[in-house]
Amino acid sequence: MSELRSLTIDEIEALERRGCTAEDWTRISVAADFAPDYISDVAFSGDVSLGLFDKMVEVGEGLARHSGIRRAVLHDVAVGDNCLIENIGCHICRYVIGDECYIANVGLMSCTEDASFGVGNAISVLNEAGPGNVLIHAGLTPQMAAFMVRHAADKAVWPRLQAMVAADVASRAEPCGTVGYGVKIVNTGEVVNTRIGDECEVSGAARLADCTLCSSPEAPIFIGSGVECENTVVQAGSSVVSGARLFSCLVGEACHIGRGFTAESSLFFANSHMENGEACAAFCGPFSVSHHKSTLLIGCACSFYNAGSATNFSNHAYKLGPVHYGTMARGTKTGSGAHLLLPARIGAFSVCLGKVETHPDTRRLPFSYVIGSAGATYIVPGRNLATVGTARDVGKWPRRDKRPVAGRQAIINFDWLSPAVVSAVADGRRLLSSLRAEQGEDAASYTLDGCIIKNHWLTRGLALYDMALRLYLGRAVRGHYGELPDCSAGTGEWTDLGGLIAPLTEVERLADDIGSGAVADLREADGRLASIHAAYEDYKWSFTYRLALDYYGLDTLADDDMGRIATDYDAALAEWKAAVRRDAEREFALGDVDEALLAAFLQRLEEEG
């Protein structure tokens, strides 16, 4: 908007002839070239500023109307250039509206002096009845959210995290509601205490209250019909549509929430897709998907996850309250009708089937089938490593990242055979060997913390885990011939922090620095997490070098050893491809898969190397 001036007497008279009124015309300021021709039936009060109205505004495909203000009540409002505002049922109060916005058929837009816009609030994820452990803010990433959950009980770290978020929120504070450039708000009931970014579209929503919509021209947000959002942040490129209802939630970049999905105190990050079901106290990391009615995600942490129809998590164990929770490591799926009684800890890339009642911890047995049947839990170790589903999933996720390349906030490492997963594979191999040694090679089945592993499942699991280790080592040593690791980080435990795969030592070092006050700024903390991600390949090589020495029983890696790793990799790759191919062909034999689809998948499989 250009420099403002007061209204002239002629302009006031013209406005009054057009049905406009003002409590005090001297408190109305306008752009230098303002003309009153397109303003009618407007009641002004408080301090109001108006831009130019000299252009057409697109209101629908192939339909444009002249900018202006008609049939509205404006109180303490700034209106940018060439907006079209009309048919406001109650009023617009305390908003700054950007240029070229279209606001029509809206019941109420208001903002109070103490508005939080949905940021700075603590919500309780996982433990539904616990204290707040995630601080919602506009730039919240899955890494920082996972970091908060991990350290919420740390009396040195948590108060400093609270102070850092409070300072960041204060630095971005606005004295009133804001509507960015090119925003469209139509046929909507209420917009209360809400900040709306550039080129956002709100069409037919029921209510937005205490929200921040981080829309941008590169990644606009769409809020659709019947939607209710309260105390919620929606990040760039996301859509919330078709009667979805969100309360105290964060919707991350390029997510989709729709078809009546309901959520409370939950997080949905980068490319997650939720429809029909419900969530409560859920931490849904990148690429979490739930499509079906009667699916309840409650008290669970997941990422790269797919929920089968009627999946249900129960967070009441023995009726002391909804305090139990479960973790589903990266790539986990639940089959139709799956029911997990929490607590439970499920390893990476596993599949859960049936009613799992025994609270299993399979983190050291990734790629497993976890099957609940007649009150017992069965584990088929490693089975999911050699399936067409896993092979297809790990290839599709990078292709389905809908976030614009510039300005991405969430860190997503797509490496599926990562140190975090492979260290669990190595632990699983040792665990299965120990079970066999302790319970006998000829045992019909083995028991692990109340779970049952049949003999032939254990034998096959050992072979699959060995294949996975050879696959990983062969790929990870490429380009490192004759090279020694130049850092010690990475040789210990690893973690998957909401898509950031990192040595645990580096995450805890950040926690120590926050707790001591050495890191006191939220952006610096986010930068540290980004730096950990940037050093991933260095950390990974330290892990790989130590793993190779342990696996082959060596003191150092010579050229001959590198050649042996490459040879073992070729054999493991051929074994893996053959197993996945057989699985794909079994599905094709069912008769519902198009032959071209099978051929395209097998072609991609052959290109793996």
Side-chain angles (χ1 to χ4, degrees), residues 24-67:
D24 184 349
W25 286 110
T26 65
R27 296 177 66 181
I28 313 302
S29 55
V30 296
D33 294 329
F34 169 82
D37 301 353
Y38 295 96
I39 299 177
S40 60
D41 299 314
V42 179
F44 300 102
S45 62
D47 296 311
V48 176
S49 62
L50 305 175
L52 301 177
F53 300 95
D54 60 359
K55 286 176 59 177
M56 302 294 287
V57 175
E58 184 177 347
V59 299
E61 187 172 352
L63 176 62
R65 298 179 58 221
H66 204 284
S67 57

Side-chain angles (χ1 to χ4, degrees), residues 431-449:
L431 175 61
L432 295 180
S433 296
S434 296
L435 287 177
R436 171 176 279 178
E438 293 167 3
Q439 300 180 27
E441 290 191 11
D442 297 328
S445 61
Y446 302 87
T447 59
L448 174 65
D449 298 330

Side-chain angles (χ1 to χ4, degrees), residues 246-428:
L246 304 177
F247 308 94
S248 298
C249 291
L250 181 133
V251 179
E253 302 162 283
C255 290
H256 175 87
I257 314 289
R259 295 190 179 180
F261 189 86
T262 301
E264 182 172 353
S265 300
S266 295
L267 309 171
F268 308 94
F269 287 108
N271 300 289
S272 290
H273 189 115
M274 300 283 154
E275 294 185 335
N276 295 306
E278 58 183 307
C280 179
F283 187 119
C284 298
F287 293 95
S288 294
V289 174
S290 176
H291 285 291
H292 308 286
K293 292 182 178 179
S294 69
T295 293
L296 171 63
L297 308 180
I298 187 169
C300 63
C302 57
S303 64
F304 298 85
Y305 164 72
N306 196 321
S309 60
T311 287
N312 189 292
F313 294 86
S314 296
N315 62 347
H316 289 74
Y318 299 106
K319 310 307 180 188
L320 285 177
V323 298
H324 302 286
Y325 60 90
T327 56
M328 315 282 287
R330 172 184 294 229
T332 301
K333 295 181 179 180
T334 47
S336 294
H339 186 182
L340 274 73
L341 272 63
L342 305 178
R345 308 285 186 267
I346 306 300
F349 294 99
S350 294
V351 178
C352 296
L353 303 167
K355 187 172 184 178
V356 181
E357 304 178 59
T358 60
H359 315 298
D361 185 345
T362 68
R363 286 175 291 183
R364 293 187 294 167
L365 296 172
F367 298 103
S368 293
Y369 281 11
V370 181
I371 305 168
S373 178
T377 300
Y378 298 87
I379 302 175
V380 188
R383 174 67 183 87
N384 203 36
L385 175 65
T387 63
V388 64
T390 298
R392 180 175 175 269
D393 284 345
V394 299
K396 77 183 181 185
W397 287 317
R399 297 194 300 270
R400 293 186 179 181
D401 193 344
K402 298 178 181 178
R403 299 173 298 157
V405 174
R408 290 179 175 179
Q409 296 183 145
I411 297 169
I412 304 178
N413 187 330
F414 290 102
D415 196 0
W416 69 286
L417 279 180
S418 69
V421 173
V422 171
S423 59
V425 167
D427 284 346

Side-chain angles (χ1 to χ4, degrees), residues 519-535:
V519 173
D521 180 80
L522 186 61
R523 297 182 192 184
E524 182 181 358
D526 285 332
R528 280 281 294 274
L529 292 170
S531 296
I532 293 171
H533 175 62

Side-chain angles (χ1 to χ4, degrees), residues 463 466-474 551-552 568-569 571-572 575:
D466 189 67
M467 179 181 72
L469 291 172
R470 288 181 285 130
L471 277 173
Y472 171 80
L473 288 169
Y551 182 82
Y552 288 102
D568 286 351
Y569 168 74
E575 181 183 347

